[in-house]
Amino acid sequence: MAVNTTSIAARLAETLIADVDADASNGEENVFSGTTLADKIYQVQLDNTRNGAAAYLKIQFATSFNANNAPNLQFYVPAGGNVYYTFPEGLPFTTGISFVGSVTQAATGAQTDPTKDLKIKILGGT
């Protein structure tokens, strides 16, 4: 039997950001700082299974999150839900990534923390 050898393409994602308690009170600032293996987002997972209310992940392409500025990305997860958002070609960013987890639908202004843990995973790569 002949053996075939093929090249495997570069990894899709090279950096994983995990926040097991995403909230609005303690936003995550510039989460890919210090890594050279992430200038695109390939997947975002939101685990809201412990909450009885819908939640939102609000991402700004910035080194710090400012509630007065609208997010560049806002992802929804229903009450008790677990969702994945996938970007097969990668969603590029240049400045940085900062985010909050919130139950407030409005894009700007005061944000409210989820009652229980909102878990976030972001896969980044080059």
Side-chain angles (χ1 to χ4, degrees):
M1 177 174 188
V3 175
N4 293 325
T5 303
T6 57
S7 296
I8 298 175
R11 294 180 298 268
L12 175 65
E14 298 159 309
T15 304
L16 171 66
I17 300 298
D19 187 346
V20 297
D21 185 14
D23 56 34
S25 298
N26 299 303
E28 300 300 333
E29 309 289 327
N30 207 15
V31 296
F32 285 109
S33 177
T35 180
T36 58
L37 298 176
D39 60 7
K40 295 179 184 174
I41 296 171
Y42 284 94
Q43 187 176 75
V44 174
Q45 177 190 6
L46 305 176
D47 180 349
N48 196 34
T49 53
R50 296 191 61 215
N51 283 299
Y56 303 87
L57 172 64
K58 299 175 183 187
I59 295 176
Q60 291 177 346
F61 297 153
T63 56
S64 63
F65 193 90
N66 183 336
N68 294 319
N69 298 334
N72 296 94
L73 303 169
Q74 182 167 314
F75 299 102
Y76 167 82
V77 58
N82 189 6
V83 297
Y84 294 84
Y85 293 92
T86 302
F87 306 94
E89 300 297 320
L91 181 64
F93 64 91
T94 55
T95 307
I97 297 269
S98 297
F99 64 82
V100 297
S102 178
V103 293
T104 305
Q105 184 176 7
T108 59
Q111 300 294 309
T112 304
D113 293 339
T115 304
K116 300 197 185 288
D117 297 344
L118 172 62
K119 298 177 183 177
I120 310 267
K121 290 181 183 171
I122 301 173
L123 286 173
T126 55

